[in-house]
Amino acid sequence: MNITKEQIDDLNAVVKVAITKEDYQDKVESILNDYRKQANIPGFRKGHVPMGMIKKQYGKAVLVDEVNKLLQDNLNKYLTEEKLDVLGNPLPKQQDNFDWDNDQLDFEFELGLAPSFEVPLKTKKALTQYKIVADDKMINEQVERIQKQYGKLVSQNEIAKDYEVIGTFKNEEEEIENKTTLELDKVKSKTALKALIGKKIGDEVVLATKGLFKEDYLLSSVLGVSQEKAKDLDIEVAFTIEEINEREAAALDQELFDKLFGKDAIKSEEELKARIKEDSEKQFEQQSDQKLLNDVTEYFIENIKFDLPSEFLTKWIKTTGEQPLSDDQASEEYEKSEKGLRYQLIEGKIIKDNDIQIQFDELKEFAKGFIKTQMAQFGQLDPQEEELDNIAARVLGNQDEVKRLSEQLMSQKLLTLYKEKVNLKTKEVTYENFVKEVYG
């Protein structure tokens, strides 16, 4: 077997593979002999079928199969040994006059090669790294929510501002009948609030669904219908009042502090606010980190210039999918995927240049940290190390989970590198202003 490469340009090459009978004949003969031993053909004893008949029936199929195996194994070996950085997969060139009976079988494969480029991490432009702070307004609102959540309900005779009303929504035509709790502080419609204020148990109020709540998703739950049905729903519903309650705010005392954070962890309102600020800003850090990662990614894609073997990749996309694509469809798919491919190459270059690796032990520790965070959400604040090890072992036994966690850990490592190397400017903002500035 002989394999040679013809370089077309920096991004395209053709690999030629010449296979002779000596490369495959022994293997083909061995397989056909096995077929002969097992063949059951009327008129012949088992194992005594003439080899000519076996070759006529099976010879071409076995030859094609063995040659294809040789091609695949040796072509992959050649690409690895020659350290060719190939995009997509080698594409066989069409040969109109190919003859499987020739003594030498010649194959040609088109290659799309990865471009050569550099990634200077010290960006010319200073990118913004947001530091999101919890301001007094946010902290006070959170304290109020805690007081309301842990407060007690006091029965009332008449609806007043910010009360909670238990009742049943009905609309026969839309087959709606759902008992629920209506929290007046979440109602947006002034008309609805005016209709509800002053009503008593047993009264019925007709409310319009359009624009009823401050948050659109609430309509689905109070009516007991799907989000899809609730979207753009513009009808009137009857609401029958069954119970009226005022939620009396919980006192900011030691009993509440212990309930929230454990015994004596917090001992005053000032400490509570400080804890809320600390916990909030830890959560905000995740959002600002994701924003930074996105911004650095976008900057590299826009500013690191290199060509791609676009014609080859379009052809590869056209022929390798589950369904063959037209030229126009393949071009459209390439345009959609080009940006992602560019960043894959850039990210791969950064990882290689900076020798970023993921070891199993650190992946295990990363998984344990992830598990510990999830357990804390369900009140398990101090799990045993043995329990974490056992859960991590089960998680890492799933290849999909290993892939997902590895990608997350790699993103974390890249983010750490960017914070060290990229030209950054820090901007301190409240969460409200961060949302306005980033999401509009």
Side-chain angles (χ1 to χ4, degrees):
M1 181 182 298
N2 185 40
I3 302 179
T4 58
K5 177 170 71 75
E6 178 187 346
Q7 194 76 28
I8 307 301
D9 56 39
D10 289 344
L11 300 174
N12 294 275
V14 173
V15 168
K16 298 180 180 181
V17 183
I19 297 179
T20 63
K21 278 188 176 181
E22 289 76 15
D23 296 317
Y24 60 80
Q25 194 164 26
D26 287 349
K27 183 67 174 175
V28 169
E29 292 290 341
S30 173
I31 293 172
L32 291 175
N33 274 323
D34 288 341
Y35 277 23
R36 183 170 181 250
K37 292 174 185 176
Q38 301 299 324
N40 285 310
I41 295 178
F44 297 96
R45 284 184 297 149
K46 186 175 181 180
H48 289 77
V49 178
M51 179 57 79
M53 186 176 290
I54 295 295
K55 285 184 177 181
K56 184 176 181 181
Q57 188 165 354
Y58 301 109
K60 183 61 66 68
V62 172
L63 168 65
V64 171
D65 188 46
E66 287 307 308
V67 168
N68 281 330
K69 287 178 183 176
L70 274 173
L71 274 174
Q72 184 175 351
D73 292 345
N74 286 278
L75 185 57
N76 289 338
K77 183 180 177 183
Y78 175 81
L79 296 177
T80 301
E81 289 176 349
E82 294 296 314
K83 298 179 180 178
L84 294 175
D85 196 355
V86 177
L87 300 180
N89 292 313
L91 286 177
K93 293 187 73 172
Q94 186 69 36
Q95 295 172 274
D96 295 331
N97 298 318
F98 187 83
D99 187 353
W100 285 97
D101 293 325
N102 287 342
D103 288 342
Q104 179 172 302
L105 303 175
D106 294 312
F107 301 88
E108 293 185 0
F109 295 87
E110 296 178 65
L111 302 183
L113 304 177
S116 178
F117 59 92
E118 298 300 322
V119 182
L121 292 177
K122 193 69 174 178
T123 56
K124 293 179 181 179
K125 174 187 173 185
L127 303 181
T128 301
Q129 180 180 10
Y130 288 94
K131 182 181 179 183
I132 309 172
V133 296
D135 59 356
D136 290 342
K137 179 187 174 187
M138 169 176 277
I139 294 168
N140 290 333
E141 286 175 351
Q142 179 65 10
V143 170
E144 288 176 10
R145 279 195 290 272
I146 290 171
Q147 287 183 277
K148 182 177 178 181
Q149 181 182 349
Y150 289 90
K152 64 179 181 179
L153 292 175
V154 180
S155 180
Q156 302 292 336
N157 296 318
E158 186 177 295
I159 298 176
K161 182 183 177 184
D162 294 342
Y163 279 13
E164 296 181 17
V165 185
I166 296 174
T168 300
F169 279 103
K170 286 185 181 180
N171 180 296
E172 290 185 9
E173 188 175 340
E174 296 291 334
E175 298 182 343
I176 293 172
E177 183 171 348
N178 191 55
K179 184 172 181 177
T180 188
T181 298
L182 182 64
E183 298 178 52
L184 265 64
D185 63 346
K186 294 179 180 177
V187 174
K188 177 183 178 182
S189 169
K190 292 180 180 179
T191 303
L193 288 170
K194 186 177 179 181
L196 287 162
I197 299 296
K199 293 296 187 290
K200 295 180 171 56
I201 293 172
D203 288 347
E204 182 179 279
V205 182
V206 176
L207 304 174
T209 58
K210 188 174 182 180
L212 182 58
F213 293 104
K214 296 174 182 176
E215 301 291 344
D216 291 339
Y217 73 89
L218 291 171
L219 185 63
S220 168
S221 61
V222 299
L223 297 184
V225 299
S226 67
Q227 289 285 355
E228 186 179 356
K229 182 172 181 177
K231 185 182 179 184
D232 302 323
L233 188 65
D234 187 6
I235 60 172
E236 289 187 336
V237 287
F239 181 64
T240 304
I241 299 163
E242 299 169 22
E243 191 177 325
I244 302 170
N245 295 301
E246 178 185 13
R247 188 171 287 275
E248 193 175 276
L252 295 174
D253 56 18
Q254 196 60 47
E255 182 183 353
L256 177 62
F257 302 153
D258 290 349
K259 191 180 292 184
L260 291 170
F261 300 105
K263 186 167 177 58
D264 294 334
I266 301 292
K267 295 185 178 180
S268 67
E269 182 178 343
E270 289 71 25
E271 289 184 14
L272 172 64
K273 289 182 176 180
R275 178 64 176 267
I276 290 172
K277 180 178 176 66
E278 179 186 351
D279 290 349
S280 297
E281 290 179 355
K282 277 183 183 177
Q283 293 180 353
F284 296 156
E285 190 176 345
Q286 294 177 359
Q287 294 186 53
S288 63
D289 280 350
Q290 188 60 55
K291 170 63 177 167
L292 177 60
L293 193 60
N294 293 343
D295 287 348
V296 174
T297 298
E298 196 65 33
Y299 178 88
F300 285 152
I301 292 172
E302 294 298 323
N303 290 276
I304 296 175
K305 304 296 183 184
F306 52 82
D307 292 327
L308 290 170
S310 54
E311 186 176 337
F312 168 84
L313 290 169
T314 303
K315 189 187 295 186
W316 177 69
I317 289 171
K318 179 181 177 180
T319 58
T320 57
E322 291 183 7
Q323 298 291 334
L325 302 178
S326 67
D327 289 342
D328 289 343
Q329 287 173 324
S331 295
E332 186 179 339
E333 285 300 313
Y334 173 70
E335 287 176 11
K336 288 180 184 176
S337 61
E338 182 185 2
K339 192 173 182 179
L341 175 58
R342 284 185 177 278
Y343 187 66
Q344 283 181 21
L345 292 170
I346 292 168
E347 186 182 82
K349 177 70 171 170
I350 293 169
I351 291 169
K352 182 179 178 181
D353 287 352
N354 293 275
D355 194 27
I356 303 175
Q357 299 178 25
I358 293 178
Q359 305 296 338
F360 180 78
D361 286 346
E362 61 182 344
L363 183 61
K364 181 180 177 182
E365 289 304 311
F366 182 74
K368 285 164 66 175
F370 184 76
I371 294 162
K372 200 171 181 179
T373 300
Q374 286 189 317
M375 293 175 75
Q377 293 174 357
F378 295 94
Q380 294 176 265
L381 301 177
D382 191 24
Q384 297 295 313
E385 194 68 20
E386 184 179 355
E387 183 181 11
L388 288 173
D389 283 333
N390 290 336
I391 298 173
R394 289 199 298 272
V395 169
L396 296 176
N398 182 317
Q399 288 304 308
D400 290 337
E401 284 298 305
V402 170
K403 182 174 183 292
R404 184 179 67 84
L405 289 169
S406 296
E407 288 172 353
Q408 290 182 0
L409 180 55
M410 181 56 73
S411 290
Q412 193 178 91
K413 285 173 172 278
L414 287 169
L415 184 65
T416 300
L417 178 70
Y418 296 159
K419 286 181 178 181
E420 292 174 358
K421 304 290 187 180
V422 172
N423 183 13
L424 301 176
K425 59 181 179 182
T426 302
K427 184 173 184 179
E428 190 171 294
V429 292
T430 64
Y431 182 71
E432 184 178 356
N433 288 336
F434 173 78
V435 170
K436 287 179 182 177
E437 192 166 322
V438 172
Y439 303 108

